[in-house]
Amino acid sequence: MLLLARKNLLVYKGRFFLATSGVACAVTLVLLLMGLYTGWREQMATYLRHVHTDLWVGQKGASDLFHTLSLLPESGVRLLQQVAGVAEVSAFVGRLMTCEVQGRHRHLFVVGVDADHNGPVRLVEGRTTTQEGEIVIDRVFARKEGLQIADTLTVAGQPLRIVGIAEGGNVFLYQYAFVTLLQAQRLFGLDGYVNYFLVRLAPSAQAEEITARITEAAPLVSVFAKEQFVANNLSLTGDNFLPILYVLEAIGLLIGTVVIGLTISAMTIERSAEYGVLKALGAPDWTLYRTTSLQALACGLCGWLVGVPLSWSAAVLAQHFVPQFPFASSLRHVLWMFGCTLAMSLVAAVLPARRIARIDPLIAFKG
Amino acid sequence: MMFRQPQQSRGASGQQTVPSPLVELTEVSKVYGREETAVRAVDRVTLTVSSGEFVLFFGPSGSGKTTLLSLIGGLLRPTHGTIRVAGIDLSRLSAPELSRFRLHTVGFVFQSFQLLSALTARENVELVFRLAGYRAHAARQRAEALLVRFGLHHRLTHLPTDLSGGEQQRVAIARALALSPPLLIADEPTAHLDSATAEEIILLLRRLVDDDGRTVLVASHDQRLVPVASRLFRCQDGRITASEL
């Protein structure tokens, strides 16, 4: 039946090409969405993982940088330093701010840095150490806005000169930027306050134990282990974006299925008489279903083969025109899409199979 | 395989021996529609055909001869009566069993040849071997050998559209004989052929009876088939009106 499936497909080269193209577009769309989501999550976690801390200590009820506001008195640092097992405490001040770039309003997540290890992930150009009136921005933001070293942008009415361009701070919706801690507190109007304390543990200390001690010493704070805090922040993508992503992926897969189904159905209808002859000759129905399934699989797998590299090319193109476009492809995505393509093809083969079931073998006796 | 083995055996030469009679119809009717609109395409037909006979169902269009062949070939189920072919009661077979019966016990030759247009002559024959479970290489070799036997060695890789009517019908006959079925059913096999080619096909069918000992059932209104038939059933309004030896 492979012989018949192959020959019949090649008779309709144009349709086969169209079906393959349709599936390739569906595969590309789904892989781009998956890559976008994974890329976003990876980039979102990159800076938070880079921050040199074991515990994030925030105001009770605050759990991340985006959903909730945490305000703690700066004096709390002394309380934390007294907790046994705490090696080092530093302040974290950061907030999403609107800035003005050549007359345009843009968003930046401005972080006040009080130590080198809380600064940008990797410096690309310039320097990381800032003085009053200076800022380090992310490369994606720089590309997007056409900024370079020595240019100026205005945050909360305060002109800041760009002294460094870094990478690893693209969170898709906005990018991280870094100023001094004092500068940040002034920009945010947070004199005497910080958003979080970053706690480093002594070498032998257990995170759970120290967490319990901190919450006992300061009942109005929440303490999160580093990975838990990263996960809290990633829930922004999981809770809000993932359902939308699933809907879009489902639409993509549906389109692929419909394209294959319509193509193979059209071929089956045009070949009804020949399928009738095969039935008359003694071909059992399942062998004919196998023929249409093989045709559907051929369309699907060719579409997958084209769609995978097409999605990579599309991502490169997208990143050229939209620098903040996060994309991370993985073998897992490619294999998952392979499984989906098989499923699409087999589901698409149901329609022509039903058509075959209705074909009367007596059609062979008609002239 | 169940369709050959229960009442068939192979002789010392390996040639199949088929019990007589090969085909038995008892009070077979086929009615389409119900009550006032009912049409009796076949009306209470009883007949037997022995192995090695060349039987012609002769009659005008609409006389029920094609329906009769469809019933014998297991493509239709009768409304009344019983049909036994090679000792098998067709009414007892499920749809998949009927498919296997058609594949192994009956060879079909159709009026319009009905070759698969995307396949070459060899592939059309090869397909039947593949349906029977032959591996690709064996199927190809057997298909080629069969086509060579029918004088089509130079047409193996031609598509049906590149073959003449006679060549197409010979490919169709080769396809029908691929699995050596004891019974060959041909519906108007000369209808789309010119005179010379039609005579060539008639002689070919006759040789299958004389040389191979096959049983051939032909439905036709072509007078040229009458002299070569060993038995002739005249059909009229779904009935056998006369039987001639």
Side-chain angles (χ1 to χ4, degrees), chain A residues 270-286:
Chain A
E270 286 185 24
R271 300 265 156 182
S272 295
E274 294 194 352
Y275 283 115
V277 170
L278 281 167
K279 278 184 156 187
L281 293 178
D285 280 357
W286 69 266

Side-chain angles (χ1 to χ4, degrees), chain A residues 86-119:
Chain A
V86 169
E88 186 185 338
V89 181
S90 57
F92 180 91
V93 175
R95 183 188 286 182
L96 188 63
M97 296 288 285
T98 301
C99 66
E100 198 180 313
V101 182
Q102 293 157 1
R104 303 183 300 267
H105 290 283
R106 295 291 181 259
H107 298 294
L108 278 175
F109 194 98
V110 180
V111 176
V113 178
D114 73 336
D116 283 347
H117 49 249
N118 295 347

Side-chain angles (χ1 to χ4, degrees), chain A residues 1 3-4 7-8 11 271 273-274 277-285 287 360-367, chain B residues 32 66 70 75-76 99-100 102-103 108 110-112 114-120 123 126-128 131 175 187:
Chain A
M1 287 298 110
L3 172 74
L4 183 64
K7 290 277 185 165
N8 274 350
V11 166
R271 300 265 156 182
E274 294 194 352
V277 170
L278 281 167
K279 278 184 156 187
L281 293 178
D285 280 357
T287 61
D360 186 350
L362 281 178
I363 200 170
F365 280 112
K366 294 186 175 130
Chain B
Y32 292 106
T66 299
S70 305
L75 289 167
L76 273 179
S99 290
R100 263 178 283 160
R102 290 197 296 270
L103 184 62
F108 288 97
F110 306 105
Q111 180 178 347
S112 304
Q114 302 289 25
L115 299 177
L116 304 191
S117 57
L119 305 187
T120 63
E123 288 164 346
E126 192 181 326
L127 193 68
V128 180
L131 286 174
R175 180 177 67 180
D187 181 46

